[in-house]
Amino acid sequence: MLVETPSLMDYVYLPDDWGFRSGGGNIVNFPEDEILSIIFNDNILNCGTNRAINFQYLSKGVIHSGTLKTRGKWRNNLPAGVIEFDGDSSKFFIIFEGISGVTKPPLYSDLSYDEVFEGELFSYKLIEELTSNSLKSKCINLCLTIGSKETFTRALFVELFNEHEVFNSWRDESLNSYKISAADIFNLNFLQCLISNQDFFFDYNDSGIFICHNIAAIKRKFNIYPIAYDFQFSAVLTPKYQRHREFDLKNEAEINAEKITKMAQKIPRQYSIEHIYDSQDFAEKALSSFVASSILKHRYSSYMEFFFNFLNKKMEH
């Protein structure tokens, strides 16, 4: 006997407010130093995964302590982790722009490491600009000391969600008691299409298990809010991640325009065309104010132009 698998749409409700929402969200206490001085005694490049590394940092003339916890795919060519400052309840995910000894990941062969960092920074800023259901982020100048070597660089600090608020799909049996806004579902997918991100999943799989990949499902009261993070493998930034096909900006834009059109058809309400047009204005303004290399800005602007051209044509039919 065939068993019907659950559908995410079973838990979707129609909100009164339909559109991209800007502003609001949590207040995040990012470090305020003009240049944050962090001192590591260990060689953090060779520390491996799931390690806690103590460090000292100089803030406003006073030396404090903190801890960097390596998480996930800790690699020599992509140093990142969770950073905590002693005496402060705030925790941040941190991505370093450049550290001496870092090698460029092979997937990014056509970009410099700095451009990889800029692309990640732009993705966070773009989504933060478009919706309040996003993680706050800040780019902070660093004086980074590892052993006896001192480097002036930057790091992207991203707020961490509270773990007790996260819906754990591998533990909880179902969504049953929760609802998800149709606007949030649409926005989540649309924003991912704006950067052509392929490395995320927020739905039931073929086995009927609800899976979140690079999406935090935040539980608040009786609602679930999908929060996107980790954009290193967006197709615009990482063409070689698309192993199943030859990457082409125009082709990728058409694929994503078709994807979001089908997504809109699943939502139990006629979506607003003005909603799409507003997003285009937001994205173009965000890109124009973004400081990055000409190569990277050209790639994003070319992709978005193709994407919106295809999408506008589909809106007309």
Side-chain angles (χ1 to χ4, degrees):
M1 183 176 69
L2 294 176
V3 178
E4 185 177 351
T5 57
S7 169
L8 184 62
M9 291 299 119
D10 294 339
Y11 304 96
V12 170
Y13 71 91
L14 302 177
D16 295 328
D17 175 25
W18 185 275
F20 288 109
R21 297 180 296 280
S22 184
N26 298 328
I27 297 175
V28 183
N29 296 317
F30 289 104
E32 297 181 353
D33 298 79
E34 185 174 341
I35 299 179
L36 183 64
S37 180
I38 296 181
I39 304 168
F40 290 100
N41 293 323
D42 297 332
N43 183 354
I44 64 173
L45 293 179
N46 299 317
C47 66
T49 307
N50 298 323
R51 282 277 310 278
I53 307 171
N54 296 324
F55 65 88
Q56 293 181 315
Y57 67 99
L58 182 64
S59 177
K60 298 178 181 178
V62 180
I63 295 179
H64 307 271
S65 299
T67 306
L68 174 69
K69 297 179 180 178
T70 62
R71 288 176 59 177
K73 298 177 181 178
W74 178 268
R75 301 184 287 272
N76 284 3
N77 50 29
L78 196 62
V82 174
I83 195 166
E84 301 179 52
F85 300 98
D86 291 355
D88 191 333
S89 59
S90 300
K91 296 181 181 180
F92 304 96
F93 185 72
I94 184 172
I95 304 170
F96 296 99
E97 178 182 25
I99 300 177
S100 178
V102 167
T103 56
K104 187 171 61 177
L107 285 174
Y108 303 120
S109 60
D110 60 336
L111 294 175
S112 69
Y113 188 88
D114 289 347
E115 288 168 332
V116 173
F117 177 84
E118 289 170 354
E120 184 87 350
L121 175 61
F122 174 67
S123 296
Y124 275 104
K125 288 302 180 184
L126 175 62
I127 290 185
E128 188 178 336
E129 180 77 18
L130 289 170
T131 175
S132 56
N133 287 344
S134 62
L135 297 174
K136 299 290 191 300
S137 63
K138 183 178 181 181
C139 186
I140 295 178
N141 294 317
L142 293 182
C143 175
L144 189 63
T145 303
I146 303 175
S148 60
K149 190 170 183 62
E150 184 179 82
T151 303
F152 286 92
T153 184
R154 297 184 298 171
L156 176 62
F157 284 67
V158 182
E159 71 167 312
L160 282 185
F161 32 78
N162 295 322
E163 292 186 4
H164 71 274
E165 290 186 314
V166 179
F167 180 85
N168 295 316
S169 56
W170 54 92
R171 298 174 188 166
D172 300 341
E173 293 182 357
S174 70
L175 295 172
N176 286 342
S177 302
Y178 300 96
K179 290 291 184 181
I180 307 172
S181 163
D184 287 339
I185 294 292
F186 181 81
N187 289 350
L188 172 69
N189 286 271
F190 188 79
L191 294 170
Q192 300 282 14
C193 285
L194 270 178
I195 58 171
S196 190
N197 188 23
Q198 309 297 321
D199 193 26
F200 79 102
F201 192 85
F202 183 75
D203 206 339
Y204 285 94
N205 65 10
D206 293 339
S207 300
I209 301 173
F210 185 69
I211 300 295
C212 299
H213 176 63
N214 287 337
I215 304 291
I218 304 296
K219 299 181 294 187
R220 287 177 183 163
K221 294 184 179 180
F222 298 106
N223 289 338
I224 283 184
Y225 300 94
I227 308 292
Y229 64 94
D230 193 350
F231 311 105
Q232 294 152 8
F233 291 140
S234 65
V236 179
L237 187 63
T238 324
K240 288 192 175 183
Y241 187 71
Q242 313 307 304
R243 301 182 182 91
H244 58 289
R245 61 178 181 267
E246 187 69 24
F247 177 83
D248 175 78
L249 277 178
K250 189 174 182 179
N251 182 53
E252 203 70 26
E254 186 171 17
I255 289 172
N256 280 291
E258 179 68 22
K259 183 187 302 182
I260 198 60
T261 302
K262 290 181 178 178
M263 178 71 223
Q265 292 169 351
K266 293 181 180 179
I267 293 174
R269 171 176 173 168
Q270 178 63 36
Y271 57 91
S272 169
I273 294 180
E274 288 76 17
H275 181 64
I276 300 294
Y277 293 154
D278 288 345
S279 71
Q280 184 171 359
D281 291 338
F282 269 111
E284 289 174 348
K285 288 177 182 177
L287 185 60
S288 65
S289 62
F290 180 58
V291 178
S293 70
S294 58
I295 295 175
L296 193 62
K297 290 196 71 168
H298 177 71
R299 180 177 292 183
Y300 276 112
S301 61
S302 298
Y303 166 78
M304 285 186 182
E305 182 178 356
F306 286 134
F307 174 69
F308 282 114
N309 283 340
F310 283 122
L311 192 57
N312 289 335
K313 289 179 181 177
K314 292 180 183 297
M315 294 294 104
E316 295 170 359
H317 295 296

